[in-house]
Amino acid sequence: MASIAMAASLRTFLRPHRCRLLLRQSRSLSASAAPAGAAAASTVIRRSVVEVLRERGLVEATTSESLGSASASPRELKAYCGFDPTAESLHLGNLLGLVVLSWFRRCGHNAVALVGGATGRVGDPSGKSAERPELNLAAVETNSNAIKSLIGQILDRAPEPSQHSQSGKNLNLEQNEQALVNSGEKMGSFQILDNYDWWKDITLLDFLKEVGRFARVGTMIAKESVKKRLMSEDGMSYTEFTYQLLQGYDFLYMFRNMGVNVQIGGSDQWGNITAGTELIRKILQVEGAHGLTFPLLLKSDGTKFGKTEDGAIWLSPKMLSPYKFYQYFFSVPDIDVIRFMKILTFMSLDEIQELEESMKKPGYVPNTIQRRLAEEVTRFVHGEEGLEEALKATEALRPGAQTQLDSQTIEGIADDVPSCFLPYGQVLKSPLVDLAVSTGLLASKSAVRRLIKQGGLYLNNIRIDSEDKLVEEGDVVDGKVLLLSAGKKNKMVVRIS
């Protein structure tokens, strides 16, 4: 078995390594002493994907320093990240994994997204204070299929390497991109797997024989994720305790059968990742399996980025509209916006630095950087169509905007803002002051009148100046809806039945 694994591993490592090329001034040759073609060739070097990730703040730890050198040598890496199907969509916390996989692809390596159709039935205890609710098989299958589709769409949108320039003021960007074209540099491939495909054929006795006898209980208990749960009031079930071996075996299986040699994950996955590298070393008796963790997506105050009062920020447009997704990033505080731009976008570090400097200059328009961040991340997650939808809704729903509203645009945000149903007869000729109260937009008529005097009440984005305003037939957009706004943020969609 070991000899087979070594052969597979060698085949993997001997494939040509394709990484994004950079042009730097060669110190070994003088431009005047060499032909133009030779001088150009001498300036081409390769960069480690680990180096790229590290400079953007996307490396928390690696299992070995050799990963950096391996990823810069003419060998191809195959990196995987796991996603358990605990819901029908991934959330913002999962986005970093997709970004890091995309960076491996951009540096010419191959990426694997592993959906846990098997492990999702157990539940990862990492970072959890209590055992996850058990999902029935139908829910796991439904969630898995939805997540596979979502991952495929997002990973397929990773920008080509030539669309990104590295930091370094002395780089000739035009020459750099031409070198990429001439060298045949290509994006690495990606594939989506489901670990249920191999777990469904493994019996408990098979697992105990192949994996269990190599697992040391003392080492498993020493994992940070396990220690915290063992010390908690609820403790940890045996099912959860075995999770690290299940995930470890996934790495072993893919290393042996598919040439996958790098596992990536959030910093809370360190114990699970090292469980895999240890199994590979003990069972196959070979080196070459690596692990890399990235920091969890946190705000500057240490709280999770991606959690709101309404719940998680989902990546699927079926669970959260592109408009609301865009708005969430548009509201990122100044203190966090540059860091998020580095870790969540593929913009060059030079451009990000220029934007950061612009924030300090007189005349800087607030939220300019946030707008760019929201555009970049929304485009990656929802594509150009999703971004256009978000931008159209953002502009159309801005109080005072000149954009003509239509019922489709208003309906598009109805799930993201408060809404209500009212009979047509109750709305037509109704005083707007009364309607603003009956819909729940404002608490009292006096509050409505005060807001009108302050110029803050809008009907379909048109400012209302008179307390005597009645709702006319022409105010009902397409005969279906109204949009009431109290200031810039508080809105109420009134659906007319």
Side-chain angles (χ1 to χ4, degrees):
M1 183 181 295
S3 62
I4 295 174
M6 286 183 180
S9 181
L10 283 173
R11 284 196 299 273
T12 300
F13 283 127
L14 291 177
R15 297 192 194 108
H17 169 74
R18 300 168 298 175
C19 193
R20 181 166 32 84
L21 305 179
L22 291 174
L23 290 176
R24 290 181 179 174
Q25 183 65 41
S26 171
R27 298 181 180 180
S28 59
L29 292 175
S30 167
S32 59
S42 71
T43 60
V44 174
I45 70 167
R46 299 177 184 273
R47 295 192 70 209
S48 159
V49 63
V50 176
E51 181 183 351
V52 173
L53 294 173
R54 197 183 300 278
E55 69 184 0
R56 301 184 77 93
L58 282 169
V59 176
E60 179 85 6
T62 60
T63 54
S64 171
E65 289 299 320
S66 63
L67 174 59
S69 57
S71 66
S73 63
R75 300 172 181 175
E76 187 176 81
L77 297 178
K78 197 169 187 178
Y80 99 90
C81 185
F83 305 91
D84 274 347
T86 53
E88 290 189 57
S89 171
L90 299 179
H91 53 74
L92 200 54
N94 303 123
L95 184 57
L96 275 182
L98 298 174
V99 169
V100 175
L101 283 181
S102 295
W103 276 112
F104 271 87
R105 290 193 64 211
R106 287 166 59 83
C107 286
H109 306 295
N110 294 332
V112 175
L114 180 66
V115 177
T119 47
R121 306 179 189 200
V122 174
D124 185 359
S126 303
K128 299 296 179 183
S129 57
E131 192 161 359
R132 296 173 185 263
E134 183 180 359
L135 294 175
N136 60 52
L137 300 186
V140 171
E141 184 174 352
T142 298
N143 294 350
S144 296
N145 291 335
I147 288 175
K148 290 174 190 175
S149 176
L150 178 64
I151 290 174
Q153 293 169 17
I154 294 176
L155 286 183
D156 202 36
R157 296 189 188 111
E160 292 286 342
S162 60
Q163 296 178 23
H164 174 83
S165 59
Q166 271 297 326
S167 60
K169 295 290 185 180
N170 296 325
L171 293 182
N172 185 323
L173 299 183
E174 291 183 3
Q175 286 181 327
N176 180 41
E177 298 201 0
Q178 188 60 45
L180 283 165
V181 173
N182 294 339
S183 68
E185 193 73 11
K186 291 189 277 185
M187 291 276 283
S189 65
F190 77 90
Q191 62 186 130
I192 302 169
L193 302 175
D194 189 328
N195 61 14
Y196 184 71
D197 290 339
W198 52 84
W199 277 109
K200 65 184 179 183
D201 298 321
I202 300 175
T203 68
L204 176 60
L205 291 179
D206 292 336
F207 179 70
L208 293 176
K209 179 181 179 181
E210 184 173 7
V211 178
R213 64 194 181 94
F214 288 97
R216 303 270 72 87
V217 174
T219 302
M220 293 175 67
I221 292 177
K223 304 290 185 183
E224 191 64 30
S225 59
V226 174
K227 284 196 298 185
K228 288 183 178 180
R229 288 293 301 277
L230 290 177
M231 295 172 61
S232 68
E233 183 178 345
D234 293 333
M236 171 179 272
S237 71
Y238 175 73
T239 300
E240 285 188 304
F241 183 59
T242 62
Y243 186 93
Q244 60 180 284
L245 293 183
L246 303 182
Q247 184 169 317
Y249 182 78
D250 284 340
F251 197 2
L252 168 68
Y253 181 91
M254 290 187 290
F255 181 89
R256 180 169 55 196
N257 297 289
M258 305 171 187
V260 174
N261 47 25
V262 182
Q263 182 181 174
I264 66 170
S267 57
D268 59 350
Q269 291 295 307
W270 180 256
N272 293 332
I273 291 174
T274 54
T277 56
E278 289 167 7
L279 283 180
I280 291 170
R281 187 171 59 252
K282 290 178 180 179
I283 296 177
L284 303 183
Q285 297 182 4
V286 295
E287 300 295 331
H290 303 281
L292 179 149
T293 59
F294 43 81
L296 299 180
L297 197 55
L298 302 176
K299 294 184 285 189
S300 56
D301 60 6
T303 59
K304 282 188 177 182
F305 181 66
K307 294 288 186 181
T308 68
E309 293 180 359
D310 298 328
I313 299 299
W314 301 105
L315 304 187
S316 170
K318 294 180 180 179
M319 299 183 68
L320 188 76
S321 71
Y323 164 75
K324 195 161 187 178
F325 184 87
Y326 176 95
Q327 290 297 318
Y328 184 76
F329 279 93
F330 187 78
S331 63
V332 167
D334 285 349
I335 194 172
D336 291 321
V337 67
I338 294 298
R339 180 167 55 88
F340 289 157
M341 192 169 273
K342 290 178 181 178
I343 65 179
L344 292 174
T345 79
F346 301 93
M347 296 169 58
S348 74
L349 295 180
D350 277 347
E351 185 175 5
I352 294 174
Q353 183 179 354
E354 291 174 2
L355 291 173
E356 183 177 16
E357 292 172 355
S358 72
M359 296 176 69
K360 306 171 186 177
K361 296 179 180 178
Y364 170 75
V365 179
N367 293 112
T368 299
I369 313 297
Q370 282 85 344
R371 181 177 293 105
R372 181 66 185 278
L373 172 66
E375 289 176 358
E376 293 290 332
V377 182
T378 303
R379 180 183 291 110
F380 180 52
V381 173
H382 294 291
E384 289 292 347
E385 290 184 3
L387 175 59
E388 289 177 10
E389 176 186 330
L391 292 175
K392 178 183 177 183
T394 298
E395 173 59 24
L397 298 172
R398 179 175 56 85
Q402 299 302 309
T403 304
Q404 183 69 34
L405 276 177
D406 56 54
S407 59
Q408 184 178 358
T409 301
I410 297 176
E411 286 285 358
I413 66 155
D415 292 335
D416 301 325
V417 301
S419 62
C420 65
F421 285 91
L422 289 176
Y424 188 84
Q426 185 176 333
V427 174
L428 192 63
K429 300 301 180 180
S430 171
L432 191 59
V433 172
D434 294 348
L435 190 63
V437 175
S438 64
T439 58
L441 178 67
L442 291 167
S444 64
K445 294 181 181 180
S446 59
V448 178
R449 294 188 179 99
R450 186 162 54 249
L451 189 63
I452 291 173
K453 291 179 180 179
Q454 295 170 351
L457 184 69
Y458 294 82
L459 173 61
N460 301 330
N461 287 342
I462 300 173
R463 180 182 294 169
I464 302 303
D465 298 318
S466 171
E467 298 178 12
D468 300 324
K469 166 66 179 175
L470 301 179
V471 178
E472 304 293 342
E473 184 176 352
D475 295 325
V476 182
V477 179
D478 297 337
K480 298 178 180 179
V481 288
L482 294 172
L483 178 65
L484 298 176
S485 303
K488 294 183 178 180
K489 295 184 178 180
N490 297 327
K491 300 181 185 299
M492 174 66 66
V493 172
V494 183
R495 291 179 166 124
I496 312 299
S497 59

